[in-house]
Amino acid sequence: MKKYFGFGLLLLLLSMMVTSCQNNAEEKTENQLNNIVLSGKMPTITMNNLGDTLSYISGNEYSQTFLTYLKEFHHIDTAYIADVTNGILQAAQAKTNEQKAKCVGVALQIEYDRLIKANNLRIFGEKNKGNVISKSKFLEYFRDLATGGKTKMNRMQAEFYLNKMSHRVVIDSIAVSPQQCDSLALSLAVIHSENFAKTLKEVYGLDDKGMDIVIQTLQPATKIDNKNEIATKVGIHTGVLMVYQAVPSYKEDKLFKEYYCFNEGNFYAAFCDAINGKQPLFDEMQSRIIFQYASNNVFEKENAVKFADNKAAGIAFLEENKKKEGVQVTPSGLQYMVLKEGKGDKPLATDNVKVHYHGTLIDGTVFDSSVKRGKTATFRLDNVIKGWTEGVQLMSKGAKYRFFIPQELAYGAQDRGTIQPFSTLIFEVELLDIVK
């Protein structure tokens, strides 16, 4: 497969793919991660439909800020990306309660390490050399509270204490005692242990045994100097976020939930390819085009249901109108009446024309009129709706026609205020001049 598709081929593929994966939730597998081989190999990228393509692009976009995060927060350079990738796949491939629990435990270690660092920075600043919040103390309090331990401090009090101490240290420049640092650690533990068991069960799908494994994992760890091991743990943390937060979020997005199949394998493969420096299958502009195409397709389908009566009324109107004396119909479905013939040349689609016009809906509502404004309009004929482009080319200079334009030759599914989606339009047009 070539790295990049040409735009013409891209649009052709989209038009073919869009019909193959819509409104077919019954075809979605319960867990497409089964496509990821347990040997640690990357998922196979498949491009059978638009859902596959959108999933791939989503994974690539999700990776965009990740390398900066690795370098700036964890100080991991590209030499250790393979270890990060391995960690991500470990989390993505975890199937048993024990495997999942171990990955969640590692992820929470990383998360709580970041939590402590962030709060120490917020409360004490970068240059502080005195007492700080201890991660070991935080984990001690956290494990106790998460397993049913009690404290007199509630969440509101914990949040108040954190904010108060932050203000006193930053604004008043007070020194913080070890006891106050312990209270800060307790405050964080109170906040983050709340509903911990419920979260493990509902978000991560872990049972009581799984919770025990997570708690055991949350022990004060000895400092790790092995960058390969650090990178792997960071990868597991990232994988857990992707598996339990990012991917479910994408699946719940209306685009995937109701219209296109989300392919987890493509999402993970695109993400890992991107962080490993591989060229994506679609560049940034092509990705935008594909997502816009998919969004427009969804928009049109929803409007087709919402404004079905409007569409039906237009069809019925045109069916009766074509029977009237003097009404002519072109192969495209455009209807017109000659009110006054003109003389001379007819304009080309590439010509600029000077016209007067009066536009109404089939119920007589006026939505635009140069006649009412008392000012003619000049425009290039191929820059307007298809009904105009086709119809005005039938006219000679000085002619006046009435056009009955089907919605597909007008604005289609677009909502343009007074002109609702799928509106049939009526225009009286007088061709005043052809501007060469």
Side-chain angles (χ1 to χ4, degrees), residues 28-261:
K28 294 183 180 180
T29 56
E30 209 169 278
N31 187 356
Q32 290 174 306
L33 282 178
N34 291 329
N35 295 329
I36 300 177
V37 287
L38 297 178
S39 61
K41 294 180 181 178
M42 288 300 301
T44 300
I45 296 173
T46 57
M47 290 295 176
N48 296 325
N49 51 58
L50 192 50
D52 288 347
T53 307
L54 294 170
S55 302
Y56 176 90
I57 293 172
S58 297
N60 183 61
E61 290 183 343
Y62 188 75
S63 73
Q64 294 306 302
T65 58
F66 185 69
L67 289 176
T68 302
Y69 160 75
L70 284 181
K71 187 175 181 180
E72 293 185 357
F73 190 83
H74 291 290
H75 309 294
I76 296 173
D77 58 36
T78 53
Y80 299 94
I81 290 298
D83 298 295
V84 174
T85 304
N86 180 51
I88 291 171
L89 290 177
Q90 280 187 46
Q93 294 162 0
K95 295 292 188 291
T96 68
N97 186 65
E98 183 178 357
Q99 289 171 338
K100 291 178 182 178
K102 286 181 177 178
C103 287
V104 171
V106 170
L108 290 176
Q109 278 187 332
I110 299 288
E111 193 66 34
Y112 293 149
D113 183 58
R114 185 166 60 178
L115 172 73
I116 298 302
K117 287 180 180 178
N119 276 277
N120 276 330
L121 181 63
R122 177 171 74 94
I123 296 173
F124 302 108
E126 293 182 357
K127 298 181 179 180
N128 178 71
K129 294 182 180 180
N131 297 310
V132 293
I133 303 170
S134 164
K135 183 181 177 184
S136 297
K137 204 67 180 175
F138 163 78
L139 290 175
E140 178 187 327
Y141 288 134
F142 181 90
R143 290 195 309 276
D144 179 57
L145 294 173
T147 54
K150 303 296 182 182
T151 179
K152 294 181 179 180
M153 183 184 289
N154 60 34
R155 184 187 179 101
M156 185 178 294
Q157 291 169 328
E159 291 175 343
F160 177 79
Y161 187 74
L162 281 168
N163 289 329
K164 182 184 77 170
M165 289 303 296
S166 176
H167 178 85
R168 292 183 67 190
V169 171
V170 174
I171 305 300
D172 302 331
S173 300
I174 67 163
V176 180
S177 70
Q179 291 77 15
Q180 288 172 318
C181 284
D182 283 354
S183 295
L184 288 168
L186 175 60
S187 298
L188 287 173
V190 167
I191 294 169
H192 291 276
S193 64
E194 189 176 67
N195 298 320
F196 182 68
K198 183 179 179 182
T199 300
L200 289 184
K201 182 178 180 180
E202 295 182 358
V203 176
Y204 301 107
L206 299 177
D207 57 18
D208 291 341
K209 184 178 178 181
M211 180 176 172
D212 290 341
I213 294 171
V214 172
I215 294 295
Q216 290 168 16
T217 307
L218 293 176
Q219 300 289 340
T222 55
K223 184 173 176 60
I224 301 173
D225 293 320
N226 186 314
K227 284 198 172 184
N228 298 91
E229 186 177 348
I230 294 172
T232 301
K233 286 181 177 291
V234 170
I236 291 173
H237 172 247
T238 303
V240 167
L241 291 178
M242 291 170 70
V243 171
Y244 297 104
Q245 294 182 30
V247 168
S249 177
Y250 277 106
K251 283 183 173 181
E252 285 300 309
D253 187 274
K254 189 174 186 178
L255 197 66
F256 288 113
K257 188 174 184 179
E258 298 183 19
Y259 294 94
Y260 304 106
C261 304

